[in-house]
Amino acid sequence: MEEQTNVLSDFTEPQFKLASVGQRFLNCLIDLIAFYLLAFIAGIIAGIIGVVMQTDSDDVLPGAAQLLFLFSFLAIYVLYYTLLEGTKGKTLGKLLTRTKAMQIDGSPLGYKKAFLRTLCRFVPFEFISVFFGGFMWHDQWTYSMTVQDN
C-alpha cells in the first residue's frame, strides 16, 4: 500500500514558515474570546431592542426569540471569520500572534475561500485536527494555510 501524504505538503512553498501549533491554539483562543464579546454586545443590543418593541400580543411563535438568537449567533461567527480573513487574512487572533491565512500559492484568500474555511470550522472536533498532521481541516479542505507574518 502506498503511504498516504498530506495534500497540502506538496503545495506549501518553502518561503512561507507555517504557524506553529501554539500560535494556532492562541489564534483559536483569542478569536473565540473576540467572537463571544461580539455576541455578548449583539445580545445586549438585541435585548434592548426587544424590550423597546415588546408587545402584549400572543402572535409571536414560541421559541422565535431563541431561534433568532441562534441565527444571529451563527451570523456573527460567519461574518467575523469571513470578513476578517477575506480582507487581509487576519483575524484578531492572527493579528496578535503575527500570523495570517493565505492560499497555498501565497495569494490572498478572498471572501469565497474565507467563507468556505469558516463553514469547515462547524465540523465537530475540527479544532483538534491540527494535532493530526499539522494542518487543520479548514486548511486542508480549502487548500489554504496559516503562516507566520513577519
Side-chain angles (χ1 to χ4, degrees):
M1 242 188 196
E2 282 186 34
E3 209 176 294
Q4 202 174 25
T5 59
N6 190 322
V7 173
L8 294 180
S9 64
D10 296 335
F11 295 103
T12 54
E13 297 291 326
Q15 71 258 21
F16 302 118
K17 185 172 181 186
L18 295 175
S20 68
V21 173
Q23 286 174 311
R24 301 293 303 259
F25 177 75
L26 279 176
N27 289 346
C28 183
L29 186 64
I30 294 166
D31 288 334
L32 193 62
I33 292 168
F35 161 69
Y36 278 116
L37 284 173
L38 286 172
F40 179 74
I41 292 167
I44 289 173
I45 293 169
I48 292 170
I49 292 171
V51 168
V52 169
M53 299 182 71
Q54 184 177 11
T55 64
D56 292 331
S57 173
D58 290 335
D59 294 340
V60 179
L61 294 173
Q66 291 84 355
L67 194 58
L68 180 61
F69 177 75
L70 175 64
F71 285 126
S72 300
F73 200 72
L74 295 174
I76 292 168
Y77 187 85
V78 170
L79 288 172
Y80 175 80
Y81 280 102
T82 301
L83 292 177
L84 294 178
E85 283 188 342
T87 52
K88 298 282 186 186
K90 292 180 173 243
T91 59
L92 182 61
K94 288 177 181 68
L95 184 69
L96 293 175
T97 60
R98 295 184 180 167
T99 58
K100 68 179 179 178
M102 63 172 53
Q103 295 190 52
I104 55 175
D105 63 1
S107 62
L109 285 179
Y111 293 111
K112 180 181 177 184
K113 184 100 29 156
F115 177 72
L116 292 174
R117 281 172 56 96
T118 303
L119 292 181
C120 292
R121 287 182 171 102
F122 285 110
V123 173
F125 304 108
E126 193 273 340
F127 63 93
I128 62 170
S129 63
V130 71
F131 298 111
F132 304 104
F135 287 97
M136 296 185 79
W137 293 335
H138 65 262
D139 290 330
Q140 292 178 26
W141 298 340
T142 60
Y143 298 98
S144 59
M145 60 185 171
T146 301
V147 297
Q148 294 185 10
D149 187 29
N150 298 328

